[in-house]
Amino acid sequence: MPQFRPFEPQELKFVASFKIGELVAETGMMLLAEGAHSAHLYTLLSGWAFRYKTLEDGRRQILNYMLPGDLLGLQGSVIGEMEHSIEALSPSVLCVFQRDRLDEVFRNHPGLGFDIAWLASREERMLDEHLLSLGRRSALERAAYLLAFLHERAKAVGLSAHGAITLPITQVHVADTLGLSVVHTNKTLRKLADRQLIRWLDRTCQVLDVAGLKALSGWDGLPERRRPLI
Amino acid sequence: MPQFRPFEPQELKFVASFKIGELVAETGMMLLAEGAHSAHLYTLLSGWAFRYKTLEDGRRQILNYMLPGDLLGLQGSVIGEMEHSIEALSPSVLCVFQRDRLDEVFRNHPGLGFDIAWLASREERMLDEHLLSLGRRSALERAAYLLAFLHERAKAVGLSAHGAITLPITQVHVADTLGLSVVHTNKTLRKLADRQLIRWLDRTCQVLDVAGLKALSGWDGLPERRRPLI
DNA sequence: CGCCTATTTGACGTGTATCAACCATCGTGG
DNA sequence: CCACGATGGTTGATACACGTCAAATAGGCG
């Protein structure tokens, strides 16, 4: 069975034989577009990204965020067509794989196949919690949950630069994640800032009190589990 | 690669060697509980079920619905612990597997392993659409989307009994899926009924005009794809 | 300098929640 | 047999969370 090693960003690597290149992306670059039949599959080596869907009139919903070690475009690989878009939140580096060799992975590297299922299952759990958030939490609770969530994810992949973690998102991202208007999002974030839970500066967010955010939102946090490295 | 056959409910079967029993459930029975470390993994052979999460104060969010052919408890099998509960919506029959033999499936039956990843990926796509719905659709659009969605899923597994499909859900289920109060859900469903899109009778819902619901919600429908049978 | 994008704030409008009834159906037990 | 409570659906009055509109500030960049 697959070995679950503690996660070390610098050791991120897919089985060498499947990697066919690297891709460097700037902030704001669209990595995968809805409807695309991409021949590729990616692992995020460094940087932040997010995936989203839009309605025809332009309303946008951010579905989840991607951090180093996350698989991008698996859905397109398994199903054949992307049903969401992916955009870089920061300068990023991606490891590129050949999509049509996925069956080979499952056939010849069962451990890796299991790892992929593991990652898909993990994504599912995150989406479940997001759904609970959108459906049943208030604006303040939702915002607290999201920031705690992003903070924990960043911490889990060792993204704390000298102690502090800054989230490279704007309030528009927060609004489109929480299903709120930008104006109300701003007022909600202000309340969190007034309570000394977060600080917003220079287009980024600093989490000052994760425990406080978790308590406010009623979220338990990410379970401490070893994850597979793809 | 796995063979994707057209779906026939009566041919539902897991590889014989992994099945260890059957479970018959009544409406309302909890099949899997949040926090459980179940030693089992299930396939729904017949009936409807749904999975949900709750906040500490009792607020409930339904995450998705399960129909014949769907895998239950995969998350618990891959991750180790269930983070949502599952309840039967109708009398149901489940096929039971041994959870700890999942690695064996991946090792010795790569096609099945791929199928499991395929199903996980499909679940992810559904959750994505639900998130878009909760975050960015109005109550009326959300309701239209949900009923069209359930109708299409039921049709896809051949659940149309002599032409008509009835959804075995109450308005409380709809409310807890859409993130609305029961009262407002009722008023919203009434609008759909007034427009001749649905009919509500005897604790079930009949979809009269799927196309109308899809147009109203701006939803494209489930892509027509062959799915693997587990 | 001027034009972006991002954030902030106030006034006002509305979608949805809450509260409170009421009705219908159904299973149960006296 | 009826009385009864429990569940599910319906409806109106009222409250509030959040959306929309409008305007202003601040920084980045050509």
Side-chain angles (χ1 to χ4, degrees):
Chain A
M1 284 312 292
Q3 299 305 310
F4 291 178
R5 294 160 290 166
F7 185 73
E8 294 291 332
Q10 63 272 21
E11 87 179 277
L12 270 180
K13 53 178 185 285
F14 203 103
V15 169
S17 58
F18 290 104
K19 173 172 178 175
I20 62 173
E22 279 196 11
L23 176 63
V24 177
E26 289 307 309
T27 303
M29 177 174 157
M30 185 179 291
L31 303 173
L32 281 170
E34 194 170 336
H37 294 263
S38 168
H40 299 138
L41 177 64
Y42 307 88
T43 292
L44 193 51
L45 293 179
S46 68
W48 292 66
F50 66 94
R51 56 193 197 89
Y52 63 94
K53 285 174 81 83
T54 53
L55 291 173
E56 299 202 343
D57 62 6
R59 282 175 282 179
R60 180 176 77 165
Q61 178 62 42
I62 293 182
L63 306 167
N64 203 6
Y65 294 82
M66 277 108 154
L67 280 86
D70 286 353
L71 222 47
L72 279 70
L74 176 64
Q75 180 188 104
S77 293
V78 173
I79 306 276
E81 179 180 334
M82 292 294 288
E83 292 189 7
H84 62 257
S85 305
I86 304 184
E87 189 177 315
L89 262 181
S90 71
S92 305
V93 180
L94 305 163
C95 181
V96 188
F97 307 111
Q98 201 62 32
R99 162 190 154 180
D100 54 18
R101 294 183 65 193
L102 198 61
D103 57 333
E104 192 182 326
V105 172
F106 276 85
R107 231 180 305 106
N108 300 331
H109 305 268
L112 265 179
F114 186 90
D115 286 350
I116 289 174
W118 194 99
L119 287 174
S121 178
R122 165 171 164 275
E123 177 75 10
E124 201 179 305
R125 281 187 297 117
M126 291 190 275
L127 296 181
D128 286 351
E129 191 70 40
H130 293 348
L131 271 169
L132 174 61
S133 215
L134 282 187
R136 292 306 185 196
R137 281 194 249 250
S138 71
L140 195 66
E141 291 169 333
R142 265 182 254 183
Y145 159 67
L146 175 64
L147 299 177
F149 168 77
L150 290 177
H151 180 89
E152 290 227 336
R153 288 204 63 194
K155 207 177 69 177
V157 292
L159 280 192
S160 57
H162 36 274
I165 295 179
T166 54
L167 311 176
I169 52 175
T170 69
Q171 298 191 1
V172 177
H173 294 118
V174 176
D176 283 348
T177 308
L178 304 185
L180 300 170
S181 70
V182 188
V183 173
H184 194 69
T185 297
N186 178 277
K187 289 168 180 168
T188 303
L189 291 174
R190 172 132 298 284
K191 286 182 193 168
L192 293 180
D194 289 345
R195 297 193 193 189
Q196 308 293 327
L197 297 172
I198 63 167
R199 183 163 38 192
W200 207 272
L201 43 92
D202 194 32
R203 252 152 282 198
T204 62
C205 176
Q206 276 190 22
V207 172
L208 302 178
D209 180 1
V210 207
L213 292 174
K214 287 162 74 172
L216 177 53
S217 62
W219 179 56
D220 284 340
L222 295 172
E224 298 249 1
R225 292 195 193 98
R226 296 193 165 188
R227 51 160 293 181
L229 294 175
I230 296 288
Chain B
M1 287 304 292
Q3 299 305 309
F4 290 178
R5 294 160 291 166
F7 185 75
E8 296 290 335
Q10 63 274 21
E11 87 179 279
L12 269 181
K13 53 180 185 285
F14 204 100
V15 169
S17 58
F18 290 104
K19 173 171 175 176
I20 61 172
E22 279 196 11
L23 176 63
V24 178
E26 289 307 310
T27 302
M29 176 173 158
M30 184 178 291
L31 302 173
L32 281 170
E34 195 169 337
H37 294 262
S38 168
H40 299 138
L41 177 64
Y42 307 88
T43 292
L44 193 51
L45 293 178
S46 69
W48 292 67
F50 66 95
R51 56 194 198 89
Y52 63 94
K53 286 175 79 84
T54 53
L55 291 173
E56 299 202 344
D57 61 6
R59 283 176 282 178
R60 180 177 77 164
Q61 178 62 41
I62 294 182
L63 306 167
N64 204 5
Y65 294 82
M66 277 107 153
L67 279 84
D70 287 352
L71 221 48
L72 279 69
L74 175 63
Q75 181 189 104
S77 292
V78 173
I79 306 277
E81 179 180 334
M82 292 294 289
E83 292 190 8
H84 61 257
S85 303
I86 304 184
E87 188 177 316
L89 262 181
S90 70
S92 305
V93 180
L94 305 163
C95 180
V96 187
F97 306 110
Q98 200 62 31
R99 163 190 154 183
D100 54 17
R101 294 182 64 191
L102 198 61
D103 57 333
E104 192 182 328
V105 172
F106 276 84
R107 231 182 302 108
N108 302 330
H109 305 267
L112 265 179
F114 186 90
D115 287 350
I116 289 174
W118 194 98
L119 287 174
S121 178
R122 165 171 164 274
E123 176 74 10
E124 200 178 307
R125 282 188 296 118
M126 292 191 275
L127 297 182
D128 285 352
E129 192 70 42
H130 294 347
L131 272 169
L132 175 59
S133 215
L134 281 187
R136 290 308 185 195
R137 281 194 249 251
S138 70
L140 194 66
E141 292 169 333
R142 264 182 255 182
Y145 158 68
L146 174 64
L147 299 176
F149 168 77
L150 291 176
H151 180 89
E152 290 227 337
R153 289 205 62 195
K155 207 178 68 179
V157 292
L159 279 191
S160 56
H162 37 275
I165 294 180
T166 53
L167 311 175
I169 52 176
T170 69
Q171 298 192 358
V172 177
H173 293 118
V174 176
D176 283 347
T177 309
L178 303 185
L180 300 171
S181 70
V182 189
V183 173
H184 195 67
T185 297
N186 178 279
K187 290 167 181 168
T188 303
L189 291 174
R190 172 132 298 283
K191 286 181 193 169
L192 292 181
D194 289 345
R195 297 190 194 192
Q196 309 292 327
L197 296 172
I198 62 166
R199 184 162 38 194
W200 208 272
L201 44 92
D202 195 32
R203 253 153 279 196
T204 62
C205 175
Q206 277 190 20
V207 173
L208 302 178
D209 180 0
V210 207
L213 292 174
K214 286 162 75 172
L216 177 54
S217 62
W219 180 57
D220 285 340
L222 295 172
E224 298 249 1
R225 293 196 192 97
R226 296 192 165 188
R227 52 160 293 182
L229 294 175
I230 296 290

